[in-house]
């Protein structure tokens, strides 16, 4: 399928992916290597099919929140697959959100649907 991609598009794609490699991890200085690794279940909602799926993952979550809104506080989190590499330096960055008060499982799932 390479012949259907214009030279201009190829050039732009190479430039963007090259820049991606130059970006530094904004959480590189956070001490994730000292945090406990926990097993978790990630729930995903597909708004097109209205179906839920889930997967087992590994996470490291900072104990102290870095921000809060009116209803939730935010924690820096790294995620890695259960199977495969657990290189925390290169794993994906996420923001874990937790309600400040108590909340039911249904409340969290409703929030995911609305996102």
């Amino acid at each position: 399928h390479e012949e259907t991609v214009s030279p201009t598009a190829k050039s732009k794609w190479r430039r963007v992916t090259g820049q991606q490699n130059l970006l530094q991890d904004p959480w590189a200085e956070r001490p994730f290597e000292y945090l406990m690794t926990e097993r978790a279940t990630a729930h995903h909602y597909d708004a097109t099919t209205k179906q839920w799926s889930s997967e087992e993952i590994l996470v490291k979550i900072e104990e102290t929140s870095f921000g809060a809104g009116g209803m939730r506080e935010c924690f820096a989190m790294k995620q890695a697959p259960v199977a495969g590499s657990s290189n925390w330096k290169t794993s994906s960055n996420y923001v874990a959100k937790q309600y400040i008060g108590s909340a039911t499982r249904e409340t969290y799932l409703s929030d995911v649907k609305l996102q």
Side-chain angles (χ1 to χ4, degrees):
H1 300 275
E2 190 170 328
E3 62 277 2
T4 62
V5 179
S6 74
T8 304
K10 284 183 187 179
S11 174
K12 287 180 181 178
W13 182 251
R14 283 191 188 108
R15 188 171 58 247
V16 169
T17 56
Q19 289 171 351
Q20 172 87 23
N21 293 333
L22 297 176
L23 296 176
Q24 294 198 355
D25 181 356
W27 291 355
E29 300 303 315
R30 293 177 183 266
F32 282 102
E33 64 272 12
Y34 299 109
L35 298 175
M36 182 175 68
T37 300
E38 301 178 59
R39 280 186 168 267
T41 303
H43 298 282
H44 309 282
Y45 183 72
D46 184 326
T48 305
T49 64
K50 296 184 169 57
Q51 296 290 314
W52 286 94
S53 63
S54 60
E55 65 177 319
E56 296 298 312
I57 58 171
L58 299 176
V59 297
K60 288 183 179 251
I61 304 174
E62 286 188 336
E63 295 177 10
T64 305
S65 69
F66 66 83
M71 299 179 353
R72 293 174 294 221
E73 52 189 341
C74 304
F75 299 84
M77 180 180 97
K78 288 274 192 178
Q79 175 182 318
V82 171
S85 173
S86 293
N87 181 349
W88 295 104
K89 294 274 186 205
T90 60
S91 64
S92 299
N93 296 339
Y94 287 87
V95 175
K97 295 181 180 180
Q98 176 179 306
Y99 275 91
I100 293 171
S102 62
T104 64
R105 174 183 166 88
E106 287 73 31
T107 301
Y108 281 97
L109 295 176
S110 292
D111 276 356
V112 171
K113 282 184 178 181
L114 294 173
Q115 300 291 319

